[in-house]
Amino acid sequence: MTGTLYIVGTPIGNLSDFSARAVETLQQVDFIAAEDTRVTLKLLNHFGIKKPLVSYHEHNLRERGEQVVTRLLEGQNGAIVSDAGMPCISDPGEDLVKLAARHGIPTQVVPGPSAVISALCLSGLTTSRFAFEGFLSTNKQSRRRHLESVKNDTHTLVFYEAPHKLLSTLTDMRDALGAERRISLVREMTKIHEEVRRATLGEAVAYYAQNPPKGEFVLVIEGAPEPEPPEVSLEEAIEEARALTKEGLRAADAAKRVSAHTPFRKSEIYSRLVEDTKECDGIGLI
């Protein structure tokens, strides 16, 4: 019988955020695949969990992924954890879950803290629609191309960034997205020195040029403004309504439909339609 792969979320800072179900799951599996076994061992020791660890990270994921899948196909149950937060989000666990899916191996999720969602909640920016962009490339040209590709995205944008790259990243963001675009810089979440700095990109660049950043950052940036709808003239609105009447729609209904997405009232569109109809009828009688 094939085993199950459990995707287990781990704390992003505060160990008290580790759920009872996560502890129970790690106690029951046969082995745990971990991004950094040293980090995971500290977590396991804190909760008194003793399980074999398998080192699984971006540099060995092909070889170790096959080994993990073999053990699962043999009937063992395994868990995948990241150093902090949910596996698979900017994390090599993504590849292991894909591999398990290709082999028909059951997977179950044990939800836990997520830096992306936590930072969004703290940001004070729109959370209903967002795009997670992960880490930007260390290559300057690739980084700038990435930013150019999202500069007109109206969704809130979320990035991860390390402290030693923060200033150069913010500078590129300011140049690509505009100095007035709002940003919330979130760091040390769930820890003693949790901080949310809300500013414009221009202000953020100026601040961190004078204050060296510390800790891992989640950058939450407001989306681009919604594009203004194209201006429509009254004549164009009437022409659209006239086309609808030719398709069989009553004049009143055509005027109502066109009025819904133009700045003109139903009555003024309708009155012009009626006038045009009368004129046409008059011409026909001569």
Side-chain angles (χ1 to χ4, degrees):
M1 182 178 176
T2 303
T4 298
L5 175 65
Y6 294 89
I7 306 162
V8 181
T10 57
I12 57 177
N14 193 320
L15 294 181
S16 298
D17 293 335
F18 205 38
S19 74
R21 184 183 170 211
V23 172
E24 182 182 8
T25 300
L26 295 186
Q27 287 172 334
Q28 293 178 350
V29 295
D30 297 298
F31 66 94
I32 300 168
E35 186 178 5
D36 187 329
T37 55
R38 295 165 299 180
V39 172
T40 300
L41 186 59
K42 291 178 183 178
L43 178 68
L44 298 184
N45 287 339
H46 181 83
F47 289 94
I49 301 170
K50 297 187 182 299
K51 289 292 172 179
L53 289 171
V54 176
S55 174
Y56 179 86
H57 49 74
E58 62 179 336
H59 302 297
N60 70 1
L61 57 84
R62 286 192 177 181
E63 175 192 352
R64 291 294 167 82
E66 294 293 343
Q67 293 174 7
V68 169
V69 163
T70 297
R71 296 177 69 169
L72 293 167
L73 290 173
E74 289 173 349
Q76 296 184 47
N77 293 318
I80 175 71
V81 298
S82 68
D83 291 348
M86 285 301 297
C88 309
I89 308 299
S90 259
D91 175 86
E94 173 187 4
D95 292 271
L96 184 57
V97 175
K98 286 179 179 178
L99 193 59
R102 286 202 295 270
H103 285 82
I105 295 169
T107 53
Q108 290 188 25
V109 67
V110 182
S114 164
V116 177
I117 301 302
S118 300
L120 269 170
C121 294
L122 287 167
S123 70
L125 298 173
T126 300
T127 61
S128 56
R129 300 183 72 188
F130 67 91
F132 175 58
E133 299 293 331
F135 285 97
L136 287 167
S137 172
T138 54
N139 179 277
K140 198 170 186 67
Q141 286 188 336
S142 297
R143 190 163 67 243
R144 287 180 172 176
R145 280 198 299 270
H146 187 158
L147 292 170
E148 281 294 319
S149 73
V150 299
K151 72 176 183 180
N152 295 320
D153 195 332
T154 56
H155 299 161
T156 299
L157 303 173
V158 185
F159 297 86
Y160 285 162
E161 194 51 278
H164 66 280
K165 296 193 304 177
L166 181 69
L167 185 57
S168 60
T169 293
L170 289 174
T171 301
D172 285 344
M173 287 177 167
R174 179 199 61 191
D175 295 344
L177 308 180
E180 296 306 310
R181 187 82 70 96
R182 290 187 299 160
I183 180 173
S184 291
L185 302 100
V186 187
R187 70 180 190 92
E188 300 295 288
M189 281 185 291
T190 76
K191 300 178 184 178
I192 295 173
H193 301 293
E194 177 177 286
E195 179 186 45
V196 184
R197 182 168 295 279
R198 301 181 179 94
T200 64
L201 282 169
E203 291 167 344
V205 169
Y207 178 83
Y208 286 105
Q210 299 298 322
N211 300 274
K214 298 178 181 178
E216 300 296 320
F217 283 78
V218 182
L219 311 177
V220 186
I221 304 174
E222 73 174 341
E226 293 284 349
E228 291 290 331
E231 288 192 11
V232 178
S233 69
L234 178 58
E235 291 303 322
E236 289 172 324
I238 293 165
E239 187 58 38
E240 182 182 346
R242 187 179 295 119
L244 291 173
T245 61
K246 290 179 180 177
E247 294 175 6
L249 212 61
R250 294 188 314 128
D253 293 332
K256 181 179 180 180
R257 183 179 297 185
V258 174
S259 174
H261 62 269
T262 65
F264 308 106
R265 297 189 303 276
K266 170 188 170 182
S267 58
E268 60 184 325
I269 298 173
Y270 177 74
S271 62
R272 280 290 302 273
L273 276 178
V274 172
E275 287 175 13
D276 291 350
T277 302
K278 287 179 180 178
E279 289 177 8
C280 290
D281 288 344
I283 292 171
L285 291 171
I286 293 175

